[in-house]
Amino acid sequence: DFPFHSPRSPDPQAQQQRKMADEDEEPQSEVEEPPKEPQLPLQPHVEHPGTLLMLLQSPEQSVTLNAAKALFQFAKDGGNGDEPKEIMMKLRGGLGDGGGIPVLIKLLTKEAWCGVDPEVQGVCLLTLARLAGEAVADGRLILRMRNGERCVADKNGEERCRLKTVELGGLRPVVELLRSEEIEVAGKAAFCLACHALDSPVRLAVHILNGVKYLLSLMKTGDDIVVNNAALALSTVLQHVEAKDKLHSLKGMKVLIEFGLSSDNVDVQENAARAIAYAIEQEGNLKDLRRLEGIDKLIEMLAALPDTDRQPNDKVRQSASFALAISAFDSECRTEIRQKEGLRALSNCLASEEARVQEEALMALANCAFDIPCKQTIGALGGLKNGIGLLSNPELSVVANACVALSRLVFDFMSGLDFIEEDGVSQLFEVLNNYCQSYSKYQEYKEQLEENPDAGIDPVELPDLRLGRAILENCKSCAEQGNVRASMREKEGFFPNMFAMIKHEDEIVSGMACQALANAAFDVEGRPMLLDMNAIPEFVRCLTYKDVDTQLSAARAIGNFALDSHGRKKVRESGAMAPLVQQLQAKDENGKDAIEPRRAAILAIGKCASDRASAVELCDIGALSQLLSLMDTHWKQLGQAAEDAVERLLQKSQSAKLWLRGELDYEDMTSDGWFDMGVGRPYTSLDSLETEEVNTNREVLLADSNRDPKLKAMVEQLKQDVQAIGLTQAVLDRRDAASTEIKRKCMQKIAQRISEVMGGSVPYEAFQDFGYSTEVQRCKALRKSNVVWIADLKRGGCRHR
């Protein structure tokens, strides 16, 4: 029911009593009385918002005001259970379907039916704020939105009302009321804007209507409530990039620091610090913050240094830490924070009992830890120890930020040693293990749901993705240090848990797991563990991810596996060669050339080319051609690496070397399967050459005693011949006259045998009439291929011999 009370509502029974009394009285002389306005006997019992909407359009100020108050009372939260939600939903339905929002908007303008009335305007502003979802204007909820969490109010439907108000032009009168002479109305207008400016288009509209300028003016009024509402509104509007620029042009940082951070009111300090946090994402505002000693003010607001006389306030600490975290993206700010004991204050804030303070302080420390001096200072202040302790915090957001901070604080051997001594490996394992168990339950739920969608199983939510990414980022950082990596390897279940996460459905989580495991593949002791888990196919899959760091790590991991013959065999059997070659054309998520992943792929190919089977396969699938093109690239880091990889391929694939350079060196050792495709044609694999259509102008020579029994018999015969001459390994190793003579006789014997099977000796002048070309065509017809098995030839020229 709407608690509406009409002014001057006559009582019918009292009227009847007065009438009877008038009849009993004696007539008196007539005295003229001024005419009275009729008093309407109205005391309605309103049950539907539509009735109140009609009363809001009354020309009588008192009626409109009471109706507006009744409407606001109806919208106000209160009661038990779901009553507030039900009331809000009913009111939204009534206002949306009955056109009530336009009525409220009109009451804010000069065209209001009752005329311009500050009281009515104030109540209507609060009602619009309530419709827009007053709860989401709470600064702490807005702050949570940057972690990707939706506000509860967005789920309850307030977004529809916010957008409806904007669509109907409600922002303009609200912004105009920021200049109202009634300071209370202006403050309520600021609060209403804060409730609506949760979407980027709305923030832009407020900026275009000069909202930033008017809100800065309200910051100077001295009224704590009005100043707080203005700061709150700025903390939402300044999330738009153009609003940040406008603030800088208006020198707004000075206003926020002087009238916000320096205020005695903690609510004002909180919202002003949050507004500054968003403002300093623009470079000019950041410079103003440093110039106006804003860093000092923010550190002072933490109330965490021994010489402070301020009383600590958790909300203020949270927003001040947030602002310091944003400022710490700048190197000069990081230095200033370190020099002015900001790191000590932030480290002390980790001891707070409020989880949100711990969360923001951790993020500020993490951002400061981009610099080596800051890392060292934080470690000396016990920040590393405190961060490890917070890994067991019941608040998952605190755990996530602790993981991010620790990932930047473990950066060298000594910090890794401290991490081990403070039992960081065990704590990190517990966090990772709990997350893996939660994800396993989620996977089981999905499988059960797919098998039986109507089973009525209790839903299981996907574990927080941000937490998973943070945990694996910490694992990656720790695995970069050899001593920590060894400790992680010794911890039973650590590597298997990381490997389980590489199969995560979220590409970012999976990519972070890939980066962590890639470091594990660096050690001789770690690679067998990963091979037993069949990790290579997962690394191959990660080569296709959009994230450049993941591509880089996957290519490095595959290269690490190729450091020994067993690993190269596994890489080849896992089908990793073709994806590695494709990685030579790697792109980032924006479609631009990814240089470092390409370089890592080149190095991995060079390592895989250490055995002949891998080298031949790589050449066959296009690695040689692509590497040759990369040798001439303007990226020097690619050109040198590509040149080295080409040399490695040519050392093991004589077929490729003969194709590229037209000759083999004395040190080259050919083996079964090598072929000569001729000159002037693109490099082509033997399999492709054998399936080509027969062409009289195409001649490919193949020497493979495993496939060619005639060649095998010839080789065996020659081995017997040279042994009969006296050729042994000892003779081969000596260079004395006797040994040299034996070798000369062996060469003559080999030449004689080859001449016999190739048609005998041929005078130079008779070479053109020798007929070897016809013999080549006969051999091609025999095999129905352009590939000529060398032992099939009965006549041959110099190339064949």
Side-chain angles (χ1 to χ4, degrees), residues 44 55 59 75 245 252 495 541 557 593 638 733 760 792:
L55 292 172
D245 295 335
F495 279 14
R541 182 173 58 84
D593 294 333
L638 293 186
D733 294 338
D792 285 344

Side-chain angles (χ1 to χ4, degrees), residues 37 105 206 217 280 375 386 500 523 539 570 582 677 751 793:
E37 295 182 2
I105 293 173
V206 174
S217 298
I280 59 178
K375 293 178 192 283
N386 292 336
D523 296 324
F539 284 116
K570 288 290 186 180
Q582 292 174 2
M677 70 180 71
L793 287 171

Side-chain angles (χ1 to χ4, degrees), residues 270-497:
E270 176 194 3
N271 289 317
R274 189 172 301 106
I276 286 175
Y278 291 115
I280 59 178
E281 291 176 344
Q282 195 255 21
E283 185 177 359
N285 290 326
L286 182 62
K287 290 181 179 179
D288 288 344
L289 176 74
R290 297 189 61 234
R291 180 175 56 82
L292 297 169
E293 298 183 349
I295 298 289
D296 300 66
K297 285 287 185 183
L298 291 171
I299 295 173
E300 182 185 345
M301 288 167 64
L302 295 176
L305 293 175
D307 57 349
T308 184
D309 55 356
R310 293 175 63 108
Q311 289 296 320
N313 181 280
D314 287 336
K315 294 179 181 179
V316 174
R317 278 183 163 187
Q318 181 192 352
S319 58
S321 297
F322 176 42
L324 288 170
I326 300 300
S327 70
F329 285 114
D330 178 73
S331 60
E332 293 181 353
C333 286
R334 290 196 293 270
T335 302
E336 186 172 350
I337 292 171
R338 175 173 57 84
Q339 292 175 345
K340 295 183 176 179
E341 300 249 38
L343 297 178
R344 181 184 298 276
L346 289 167
S347 298
N348 291 340
C349 285
L350 297 182
S352 171
E353 295 181 358
E354 173 57 43
R356 296 291 173 260
V357 175
Q358 297 171 334
E359 177 185 351
E360 294 304 328
L362 281 166
M363 186 52 65
L365 288 171
N367 291 346
C368 288
F370 282 122
D371 287 342
I372 298 296
C374 288
K375 293 178 192 283
Q376 295 170 338
T377 303
I378 295 170
L381 292 170
L384 182 67
K385 179 180 179 180
N386 292 336
I388 293 172
L390 289 174
L391 290 177
S392 57
N393 194 287
E395 286 287 339
L396 296 183
S397 58
V398 175
V399 175
N401 282 6
C403 288
V404 174
L406 290 171
S407 69
R408 296 171 189 172
L409 292 174
V410 180
F411 67 99
D412 60 7
F413 178 84
M414 293 306 300
S415 60
L417 192 61
D418 292 340
F419 185 79
I420 295 171
E421 291 177 350
E422 295 295 340
D423 202 27
V425 173
S426 298
Q427 292 282 359
L428 182 58
F429 170 74
E430 288 299 324
V431 173
L432 176 61
N433 191 50
N434 291 337
Y435 189 85
C436 290
Q437 290 177 359
S438 299
Y439 186 69
S440 297
K441 292 178 181 177
Y442 170 72
Q443 289 291 93
E444 292 173 3
Y445 162 72
K446 282 183 60 178
E447 292 172 0
Q448 293 174 2
L449 202 62
E450 290 176 1
E451 294 174 359
N452 189 0
D454 302 324
I457 309 169
D458 292 336
V460 178
E461 291 187 359
L462 176 67
D464 182 32
L465 295 178
R466 180 175 176 270
L467 174 62
R469 296 165 187 171
I471 293 170
L472 289 164
E473 183 180 357
N474 195 1
C475 293
K476 170 199 169 186
S477 174
C478 291
E480 289 174 354
Q481 310 307 321
N483 52 351
V484 185
R485 187 166 62 245
S487 183
M488 293 167 68
R489 187 170 58 247
E490 294 168 0
K491 185 69 176 179
E492 185 178 356
F494 210 132
F495 279 14
N497 278 341

Side-chain angles (χ1 to χ4, degrees), residues 43-208:
Q43 188 172 3
H45 182 74
V46 180
E47 295 183 354
H48 194 276
T51 307
L52 277 182
L53 295 179
M54 290 187 290
L55 292 172
L56 285 172
Q57 302 174 53
S58 169
E60 298 185 45
Q61 184 271 351
S62 56
V63 174
T64 303
L65 179 59
N66 280 317
K69 289 180 177 179
L71 189 61
F72 176 72
Q73 187 67 30
F74 182 74
K76 191 174 181 181
D77 289 345
N80 300 317
D82 292 333
E83 181 186 349
K85 181 179 177 181
E86 291 175 3
I87 290 175
M88 291 290 287
M89 295 307 293
K90 287 179 182 177
L91 181 59
R92 273 189 225 105
L95 287 177
D97 302 336
I101 290 181
V103 174
L104 292 174
I105 293 173
K106 188 169 183 179
L107 288 171
L108 301 178
T109 67
K110 296 178 180 179
E111 288 77 26
W113 296 276
C114 65
V116 177
D117 186 79
E119 284 190 89
V120 173
Q121 290 175 341
V123 177
C124 290
L125 286 168
L126 292 179
T127 305
L128 284 174
R130 182 69 61 176
L131 289 172
E134 188 178 26
V136 299
D138 184 303
R140 287 163 294 286
L141 283 179
I142 293 174
L143 188 60
R144 299 294 300 138
M145 289 182 69
R146 72 187 178 88
N147 292 333
E149 300 174 13
R150 287 176 58 84
C151 287
V152 176
D154 279 341
K155 299 178 182 177
N156 290 341
E158 284 88 343
E159 183 177 9
R160 183 167 61 89
C161 286
R162 290 200 302 273
L163 297 180
K164 189 70 174 176
T165 301
V166 176
E167 179 185 338
L168 294 171
L171 282 182
R172 183 178 293 277
V174 175
V175 173
E176 288 297 323
L177 287 176
L178 292 175
R179 298 190 294 169
S180 173
E181 295 179 357
E182 295 289 336
I183 193 66
E184 186 177 348
V185 174
K188 291 176 180 176
F191 180 70
C192 187
L193 277 183
C195 296
H196 282 83
L198 300 180
D199 306 288
S200 185
V202 181
R203 294 167 184 153
L204 177 60
V206 174
H207 153 65
I208 293 173

Side-chain angles (χ1 to χ4, degrees), residues 91 115 210 245 393 545 665 785:
L91 181 59
N210 274 332
D245 295 335
N393 194 287
Y545 284 5
D665 295 330
S785 170

Side-chain angles (χ1 to χ4, degrees), residues 31 42 59 72 86 192 228 249 265 281 338 387 390 486 574 700 772:
V31 179
L42 178 64
F72 176 72
E86 291 175 3
C192 187
N228 183 48
S249 66
N265 186 290
E281 291 176 344
R338 175 173 57 84
L390 289 174
S574 300
V700 180
Y772 74 91

